[in-house]
């Protein structure tokens, strides 16, 4: 009995003395957290060999009970396009060629993005920024500490884009180093919209790992994006060109 009591006392004391040391451990810098993520998905050298990427997948809008086929194209340094095919409604297109950005849907027709929407589309198409979180694209990156996110311990990294001042919070798993989530406020034709994403199910395609499941929540709407396949360095300029429906809207 005395022995057990002594063990409990010594263990408690050890934990008390150890606690300040654990709490005092400095957080890794945001740059170190991001570097671990980049290494986990394949490394900077592998990423920099990619000139384009095509992803094929699906989008499920849970509340509406709708599903859509998706094709997404990215071409370095700053071009991207997306085609979403909805049964019974037709195709929804969006993208940017690095100069103009567009949206085309059966309900509203073709539209050129302007102002903050245009700037945001260009930011999202920045290949180096989106894959590597290149520091020169951001005015600041801050590690705000360890939080619980999607059932994991994660570093919460605040990022502020240099060109637009847009803020986002990105979550990186302590265990794997991989990004597991993001939160941001985006500009849209309906105004500002807060979004939260849970990023999961990384799989290897070609030289890198890609998250194959993203759950996005925007207001009351929840969308689930799944990636079924990905290929690299095969995208042609036609895939990221301004759609025919948008071209008449461009001022000559």
């Amino acid at each position: 009995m005395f022995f057990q009591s002594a063990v409990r006392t010594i263990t408690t004391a050890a934990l008390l003395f150890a606690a300040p040391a654990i709490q005092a451990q400095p957080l890794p810098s945001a740059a170190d957290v991001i570097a671990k993520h980049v290494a986990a998905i394949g490394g900077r050298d592998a990423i920099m060999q990619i000139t384009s990427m095509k992803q094929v997948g699906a989008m499920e809008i849970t509340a509406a009970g709708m599903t859509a086929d998706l094709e997404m194209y990215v071409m370095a340094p700053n071009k991207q396009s997306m085609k979403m095919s909805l049964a019974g409604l037709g195709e929804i297109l969006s993208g940017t060629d690095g100069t103009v950005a567009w949206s085309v849907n059966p309900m509203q027709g073709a539209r050129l993005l302007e102002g903050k929407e245009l700037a945001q589309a260009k930011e999202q198409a920045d290949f180096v920024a989106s894959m590597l979180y290149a520091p020169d694209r951001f005015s600041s990156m801050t590690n705000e500490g360890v939080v619980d996110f999607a059932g994991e311990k994660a570093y919460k990294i605040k990022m502020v884009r240099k060109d637009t001042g847009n803020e986002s919070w990105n979550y990186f798993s302590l265990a794997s180093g991989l990004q597991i989530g993001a939160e941001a406020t985006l500009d849209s034709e309906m105004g500002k919209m807060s979004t939260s994403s849970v990023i999961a199910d990384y799989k290897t395609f070609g030289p890198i790992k890609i998250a194959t499941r993203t759950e996005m929540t925007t207001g009351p709407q929840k969308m689930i994006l799944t990636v079924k396949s990905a290929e690299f360095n095969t995208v042609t300029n036609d895939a990221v060109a301004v759609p025919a429906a948008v071209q008449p809207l461009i001022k000559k």
Side-chain angles (χ1 to χ4, degrees), residues 16-229:
L16 288 172
F17 281 114
I22 293 171
Q23 292 172 358
Q25 289 180 347
L27 289 170
S29 68
D32 287 342
V33 172
I34 292 165
K36 186 176 180 180
H37 165 76
V38 170
I41 64 173
R44 179 182 175 84
D45 289 345
I47 292 169
M48 293 305 292
Q49 294 301 312
I50 298 171
T51 59
S52 69
M53 177 167 54
K54 174 186 176 181
Q55 295 183 28
V56 175
M59 176 77 82
E60 178 186 357
I61 305 173
T62 55
M66 298 174 64
T67 59
D69 295 326
L70 282 180
E71 291 183 11
M72 294 170 284
Y73 301 88
V74 177
M75 180 179 285
N78 59 356
K79 298 179 180 181
Q80 72 173 17
S81 67
M82 182 189 75
K83 179 171 71 174
M84 181 164 63
S85 301
L86 286 160
L89 290 178
E91 292 183 345
I92 296 175
L93 310 175
S94 63
T96 176
D97 66 352
T99 302
V100 300
W102 60 85
S103 172
V104 183
N105 67 66
M107 290 75 74
Q108 297 174 311
R111 187 171 70 93
L112 278 177
L113 306 191
E114 298 178 341
K116 291 183 178 179
E117 280 189 280
L118 173 59
Q120 182 175 271
K122 289 181 177 180
E123 277 190 348
Q124 293 172 344
D126 186 333
F127 182 80
V128 173
S130 61
M131 292 295 291
L132 296 174
Y133 292 110
D136 64 340
R137 270 42 170 208
F138 299 84
S139 59
S140 67
M141 293 181 174
T142 309
N143 187 345
E144 295 191 341
V146 177
V147 298
D148 292 313
F149 188 90
E152 292 193 53
K153 293 293 184 184
Y155 291 117
K156 182 179 181 180
I157 308 298
K158 180 181 179 180
M159 302 181 185
V160 182
R161 288 299 297 258
K162 184 178 292 184
D163 291 341
T164 63
N166 285 342
E167 298 178 343
S168 65
W169 284 262
N170 300 274
Y171 298 86
F172 297 85
S173 167
L174 269 66
S176 67
L178 293 167
Q179 184 177 7
I180 59 173
E183 296 173 337
T185 299
L186 304 178
D187 290 291
S188 74
E189 60 184 311
M190 296 177 287
K192 291 187 177 295
M193 303 176 68
S194 295
T195 66
S196 177
S197 300
V198 177
I199 302 167
D201 296 346
Y202 281 82
K203 295 179 182 178
T204 299
F205 295 96
I208 62 173
K209 289 182 178 179
I210 294 174
T212 60
R213 180 181 174 89
T214 302
E215 295 186 14
M216 300 176 60
T217 302
T218 303
Q221 293 289 345
K222 182 177 181 180
M223 296 170 285
I224 300 174
L225 168 66
T226 56
V227 175
K228 299 176 181 178
S229 66

